[in-house]
Amino acid sequence: MFPLKDSKRLIQWLKAVQRDNWTPTKYSFLCSEHFTKDSFSKRLEDQHRLLKPTAVPSIFHLPEKKRGSGGHGRTRRKVTRKASGGLRGHASGADGKGATGSSSSSGENLMAKPGSRKVKQVALQNETAPRASQEATSPEHTWQAPEGTTGDGLATATAGSQGAAVDAGGESAAPNRGNLVDKSGISMDDFTPPGSGACKFIGSLHSYSFSSKHTRERASVPREPVDRKRLKRDVEPGCSGTSLGPDKGLAQSPPSSSLTVTPQKPSQSPSAPPTDVTPKPAAEAVQSEHSDASPMSINEVILSASGACKLIDSLHSYCFSSRQNKSQVCCLREQVEKKNGELKTLRQRVSRSDSQVRKLQEKLDELRRVSFPYLSSLLPFSREPPTMNPVVEPLSWMLGTWLSDPPGSGTFPTLQPFQYLEEVYISHVGQPVLNFSFNAFHPDTRKPMHRECGFIRLKPDTNKVAFVSAQNTGIVEVEEGEVNGQELSITSHSIARISFAKEPHVEQITRKFRLNSEGKLEQTVSMATTTQPMTQHLHITYKKVTP
Ligand code: HEM
């Protein structure tokens, strides 16, 4: 187990393991193979190997990318033959049977290459070859795939019953697991729910538990039940291996009730010869090795593994719930991102609107500058329009910019009827007076025609109105009258003209302004000249084009 309560040593362990984005838990174990020999002490009473409390792992032979990307349980696992390796004697027996095989020879340590699913043989190691011995594949890490060779129910896949070293790590564990089925039809999949890579890892723990217990039970139960109990208690989940003594692997007829599994075919390497997986001599050797074991039923195996399986199942539950939470977090994150996207779009639209308002404001300012070149510099700094003087409030319906709609009509007894266009500005600057300007244009040529401008005043607290106008024809006049509701009727009070004004001279003028039911401003002008009595000269309707 990782020294979770010893932070200093834990850091050393984590540095040694070199795994990214991984935190060990109380269920995390490290293979004893990663420790040097002097990391262990031996228990006095039984010489059992114990990890020293100061031990730090230092042996890592795997490629960096393997250790970094896959789970620890997914790295290629090594099988350890302890110094007392029970099968060693068998492998190095004088007859040399255990060393034979199509692709391996005695002392050769063949393991599945990283990323390969090919089943490799592991030659049995000589006790005197320390390094090679320690790196031999452990039974705990193998999918035992004994091939039915003798019809006795116990079949072996490779040299030594534990010799078939399958890359149990990573993805290669899954297909192999699928082939591990006993006679009762129970497979490793029955212990391992489907799941993600983490589940595969946990599933490999199942397989580890399953196979190691199977191995231990078969090897130790018949001879030394006490030993078996001790082994079950002491065994390190990982690749610490079992401590089968050489004397415990004696030949005896295998029980017909032993767990029988289907050998793993090298699916990734179909070209590999079958003997690569199950060398006949090796199978015989294993059969011989286990021939003294008492029968152990599948039920016993399952029962013995059930405790570990429960623990592993709890890991599964933890894994599943953690994945569920992760998925909910992902879901919420997606929603937040979606809302952020919508917010961003809205902000962009608001920004565009602000930009349009700014541009319109600039355009209006430009128009004002053109129309009233000096006015803008004289107007108050505030953009707010001046407050209307209450005195002129009865004439407020006249305020605004108006355009002829339709064109005005001109008539007089001495004239051909004519049409004209006209724009009207009636405004105020906060004074008790309205400012006006009337500018007529030819409807076809748009040439300026008649123009006049002036002021409209109201006598305070009365409806009496004075209209003062200067015209481009050289006439200045004052008209007075009354405002009643939205109608203003005025008549000329005094008319003056330049000395060289064109004749006939106008002698009297009447006007009527009203706001009609359509909200349009109407103006009707009548006049009397030196030659004609009072007659209508103009009639025009304006539509308001500004507030
Ligand atoms: C209150 C304002 C106006 C007064 C006092 C006025 C006065 C007169 C007078 C005295 C005449 C001469 C009539 C004749 O020969 O017997 C005349 C002619 C005419 N007026 Fe007006 N007028 C006014 C507004 C307008 C407006 C707004 C227009 C629009 C374009 C207009 C267009 C004409 C035209 C086209 C003629 C004939 C040609 C000419 O004499 O220039 N008048 N007006």
Side-chain angles (χ1 to χ4, degrees), residues 368-381:
R368 279 179 179 158
R369 272 196 296 276
V370 170
S371 302
F372 312 103
Y374 305 106
L375 191 60
S376 56
S377 62
L378 299 175
L379 286 173
F381 293 115

Side-chain angles (χ1 to χ4, degrees), residues 414-415 418 449-450 471 502 504 509 511 527 529 537-538:
T414 57
L415 305 175
F418 63 92
M449 295 174 74
H450 184 268
Q471 302 178 14
K502 192 179 176 183
I509 304 167
R511 300 183 197 238
M527 69 175 180
T529 61
H537 182 40
L538 309 163

Side-chain angles (χ1 to χ4, degrees), residues 464-468 477-482 488-494 509 511:
K464 198 173 173 68
V465 176
F467 184 95
V468 181
E477 53 139 343
V478 174
E479 299 174 41
E480 290 189 3
E482 290 181 349
L488 172 64
S489 297
I490 46 177
T491 300
S492 55
H493 180 273
S494 56
I509 304 167
R511 300 183 197 238

Side-chain angles (χ1 to χ4, degrees), residues 27-73:
Y27 302 115
S28 304
F29 298 95
L30 191 60
C31 170
S32 61
E33 288 306 301
H34 299 301
F35 296 88
T36 55
K37 275 185 174 180
D38 56 4
S39 298
F40 299 95
S41 58
K42 286 194 175 179
R43 200 158 53 193
L44 284 176
E45 61 268 29
D46 56 5
Q47 291 298 296
H48 180 70
R49 203 167 60 148
L50 295 172
L51 191 64
K52 291 179 181 174
T54 55
V56 173
S58 59
I59 302 173
F60 293 96
H61 297 290
L62 298 178
E64 287 300 315
K65 61 177 182 180
K66 267 288 184 185
R67 280 195 282 148
S69 59
H72 186 66

